[in-house]
Amino acid sequence: MTPIRLAVSLNLLLCLFSPRVLAVSAEYLYRHMQQSIYQIQVVDLASDKKSSIGSGFQVDQHGLIATNYHVVSEFIQQPDKYRLEYVASDDSRGPLKIMDVDVVHDLALVQGNPQAMPVSFASRRLAKGAHIYSIGNPQDLGMSIVEGTFNGHLERSLYQKILFSGSLNPGMSGGPALNEQGELVGINVSTAGNELSFLVPAGFLQQLMAHYASQGPQQDLIKRIEQQLLENQDRVIDGLLKTSWKTLTLGDVTLPAEMADYFKCWGQTDNDRKRQYQHSYSACASPDEIFISHSFNTGEIDFRYDWYEKDKLTTTQFYNLYQQKFSATYPTNRAGRDDVGNYSCNTDFVSISDNDWKVAVCARSYKKFPRLYDVALTMAMVGDNDRGINVQLNISGISEQRAQQMLKKYMDSIQWHN
Amino acid sequence: MAQLIVEVRNQHQQGSRYYSIDVASCSIGRAFDNDIIINEPHMDPHHLQVQVTEQGVQLAIGDSVNGVWKDRQQLKHTQLELASGEAVHVGHVQLFFYLPDHPVAPARLLHDTARGMREGARIMSQIVAVLVFLVIVQAYASFNESSNEVHWYKLIADTLPVITGVTLWAGIWAIVSYMVHRKLNFTYLLAVTVAFYTMDSYSDIVISYASYNIHSQLLGDILRYLVGGGILAFMLFAIFSRVLTVSRKSKLLVANILTWSFIGILVFLIHANELEFRNKPEYSEELKPPAWKWNSSISKDQFLRDAKVVFNQPLIPEEESHD
């Protein structure tokens, strides 16, 4: 048992009968842990000022620090513009080097030369409602400890996360979340506001550390990230290709709905009286995304259906409206000119379910990860004078082969009932 | 007493010159020994001989370089009978031949307000007719593009910018026409512009049908430019035919050079724009319901095979992607 764990456990024992048990626990935890927790700074070389901040904590006795990938992503994407530094609780600072990353679970291992005690991993599973403590440097205001509740792992999620009912704020990313014994449960990663926060389970950090221990530092981080993204999309898309998808019916069409239990769908019918036509829509999306840089995220799948009936419109009016809606397609993931190329499209009239559809398939490739694409599928049923449906599917971060398989299965799942 | 009156109108100059000939025949040409000397570079030194006969006027046309033009036909080495008041072309000159008893219109009143108003009303009614046609075309297009309740005042409001644009365009050419011919030709130019606008508005129907049947983005694009360019060249030629003084062939040539250079620049700009980063996929959007088709839609598998090309597109060159 490490001295920290021993001290914290003794303290808990002593305080068992005290009404101030939680406050004392947090105070002790912080006092004993603060030396192992650092502020991580990405410093702009031109101005010598910090460009972004996060938190990190020591995970071995040789100065290896764990943090979030998104804390150090700017440095990884543009190493010639930034440098990476840690600031310890005694204000000492030193340079950091990136050793390994897990872009899917938003983790990074960086190497410095601080000499503090490493944080140890929790060995027991936590029960829902257990107290956990998150440490980090919110908004650069100083190292803080936040007390909250462990609410289990997110059930409908593509990338496993712990639901932490406590306040995480910007700057705390990469900091540790500890149980009452001072052992690592998770890593602070994101928040949805109102004490709804998320942690990366500590198990993923253990996997990353094991990889680092066996493979050593990664020389080509971009290649490593591409490999992780490829493996991840293989796993996710394989899962989707193997299962049978739920369907929904909109107007006269049966369409794919929740492809897996982590998809969320919603829908709406317009009730605007001024409208001369009827419109209802359904939209589904996977809830998670993978952060690559501040301008670029990937790993999302979403689709949307818009059903139109002409009602009081003339056929020409209806088709003008329908055509206008068909052209209004935008990708849902964030990407900039340095991240992706332009979309290239192929359009044609295709016979699906005994009806003619106008179909456009578009793809844009990733500049740094050339085996990955954002793919957009847009379809509209044509030839019926009174009714129509627009289908839009966006998949970000998919390989060509998987995209072809997904597009085929997706188009095969669409049925029009005459 | 005069036996023949020859009126010479030069297309490049305003007004006419009249020659009163008191003998039964006269010669016309550039040389100074002619009875009527016309300094027109396309005319031969001794171009033609005119004779007054019992039937009217007879032209003896020799072997000149450019001949004499009558009813769009070039005449050389021939005799031509003309009635009093008929005309022929030689180069840019129009020659009218009158006998002395040729009737002339009675004198106009010096300040004939009624005639002026009649003339003005005629021109105005023509302009209004053209604009009403434009309003109907544009209001119908606006009506078709609307998916909410349509109010007449919105349709009128939608037509105003189009009327302004079309009138300005016709007005600019009318000014050019006035500078060249001292004639506005405004009604004609307006009618040509409106015809162009109407054809252009409805050409997308052709594109829609073609798009449905041609399984090729490239062929579809070529057709789009051919139809659009053809309409534009036609309009320019129609405008030039009243505005410029060069030959028909030259007008056709200028109209086509302007049109296809414009289309070329357009294609270049679109291609150049492809090198710029765009976050939105762009594809042909025609969805118009096909009234007829001569080709069936392709199968899903065929489409997915075709779609492989979208994964093999080159990236935007790195130097283009930075600011």
Side-chain angles (χ1 to χ4, degrees), chain B residues 270-281:
Chain B
I270 289 170
H271 179 72
N273 189 39
E274 274 174 15
L275 297 173
E276 287 297 310
F277 177 67
R278 281 165 293 134
N279 198 31
K280 187 186 182 306

Side-chain angles (χ1 to χ4, degrees), chain B residues 60-279:
Chain B
I61 303 162
D63 190 17
S64 56
V65 173
N66 293 303
V68 166
W69 289 77
K70 171 87 177 135
D71 300 331
R72 296 181 184 272
Q73 280 197 337
Q74 193 181 32
L75 306 170
K76 284 183 185 179
H77 257 313
T78 185
Q79 305 260 331
L80 181 65
E81 294 282 344
L82 293 176
S84 175
E86 280 195 291
V88 294
H89 276 90
V90 180
H92 291 301
V93 168
Q94 207 175 2
L95 302 172
F96 287 82
F97 300 95
Y98 303 99
L99 295 178
D101 57 352
H102 191 85
V104 290
R108 274 190 212 162
L109 265 175
L110 189 55
H111 298 291
D112 190 352
T113 327
R115 188 177 176 280
M117 284 183 64
R118 272 201 310 277
E119 187 67 10
R122 186 181 64 83
I123 294 170
M124 279 310 289
S125 62
Q126 284 173 348
I127 292 174
V128 167
V130 172
L131 290 180
V132 165
F133 175 74
L134 178 64
V135 168
I136 292 169
V137 166
Q138 181 54 34
Y140 183 64
S142 301
F143 171 77
N144 280 336
E145 278 162 21
S146 174
S147 52
N148 289 334
E149 281 178 46
V150 184
H151 297 288
W152 65 269
Y153 48 82
K154 187 184 177 304
L155 295 183
I156 296 294
D158 282 351
T159 63
L160 286 178
V162 178
I163 289 176
T164 313
V166 164
T167 312
L168 271 177
W169 171 260
I172 289 168
W173 285 110
I175 291 168
V176 177
S177 167
Y178 186 78
M179 285 161 73
V180 175
H181 291 298
R182 303 284 163 215
K183 265 187 189 174
L184 276 172
N185 282 320
F186 182 71
T187 316
Y188 171 82
L189 293 166
L190 193 69
V192 166
T193 312
V194 168
F196 166 74
Y197 181 80
T198 312
M199 280 192 282
D200 196 54
S201 305
Y202 285 90
S203 70
D204 68 326
I205 294 174
V206 178
I207 308 290
S208 292
Y209 287 139
S211 155
Y212 199 87
N213 291 292
I214 301 173
H215 295 288
S216 158
Q217 188 101 29
L218 181 70
L219 286 180
D221 285 348
I222 290 173
L223 185 80
R224 192 184 310 271
Y225 290 123
L226 280 180
V227 171
I231 294 172
L232 180 61
F234 174 73
M235 178 188 70
L236 286 179
F237 175 68
I239 288 176
F240 292 164
S241 70
R242 287 289 176 98
V243 168
L244 300 184
T245 55
V246 292
S247 69
R248 243 171 98 84
K249 265 187 194 165
S250 309
K251 285 169 189 166
L252 206 59
L253 195 69
V254 173
N256 276 289
I257 289 174
L258 281 178
T259 300
W260 302 112
S261 321
F262 172 73
I263 300 279
I265 292 168
L266 202 69
V267 171
F268 171 77
L269 288 178
I270 289 170
H271 179 72
N273 189 39
E274 274 174 15
L275 297 173
E276 287 297 310
F277 177 67
R278 281 165 293 134
N279 198 31

Side-chain angles (χ1 to χ4, degrees), chain A residues 387-400:
Chain A
R387 304 161 297 168
I389 188 163
N390 259 347
V391 175
Q392 291 174 8
L393 166 72
N394 283 299
I395 309 176
S396 58
I398 188 167
S399 69
E400 179 183 348

Side-chain angles (χ1 to χ4, degrees), chain A residues 273-277 313-317 319-323 326-331 335-338 340-352 356 358-365 367 373 375-376 378 380 382-383 385 400 403-404 407-408 411-412, chain B residues 140-141 143-150 204 208 211-217 273-290 293 296-301 303-313 315-318 320-323:
Chain A
R273 279 192 198 165
K274 276 192 172 176
R275 286 233 167 100
Q276 302 280 291
Y277 60 94
L313 297 181
T314 65
T315 303
T316 319
Q317 280 179 321
Y319 261 83
N320 273 323
L321 165 83
Y322 195 26
Q323 181 164 305
F326 178 69
S327 61
T329 309
Y330 284 92
R337 60 175 63 227
D338 293 334
V340 289
N342 279 341
Y343 275 103
S344 157
C345 298
N346 184 56
T347 55
D348 219 321
F349 287 89
V350 182
S351 177
I352 297 169
D356 286 346
K358 171 104 180 201
V359 186
V361 163
C362 303
R364 62 178 179 192
S365 69
K367 287 189 169 176
Y373 299 86
V375 174
T378 313
V382 290
N385 288 343
E400 179 183 348
Q404 289 275 355
L407 290 174
K408 180 160 174 38
M411 286 164 76
D412 283 344
Chain B
Y140 183 64
F143 171 77
N144 280 336
E145 278 162 21
S146 174
S147 52
N148 289 334
E149 281 178 46
V150 184
D204 68 326
S208 292
S211 155
Y212 199 87
N213 291 292
I214 301 173
H215 295 288
S216 158
Q217 188 101 29
N273 189 39
E274 274 174 15
L275 297 173
E276 287 297 310
F277 177 67
R278 281 165 293 134
N279 198 31
K280 187 186 182 306
E282 283 171 13
Y283 41 81
S284 74
E285 294 152 2
E286 281 85 17
L287 281 188
K288 296 277 190 315
K293 53 176 184 171
S296 59
S297 302
I298 61 169
S299 71
K300 259 183 290 188
D301 292 337
F303 176 75
L304 287 173
R305 273 198 297 279
D306 294 347
K308 279 182 183 170
V309 293
V310 303
F311 294 98
N312 300 322
Q313 294 298 312
L315 282 170
I316 307 169
E318 204 59 38
E320 296 285 348
S321 66
H322 289 291
D323 289 328

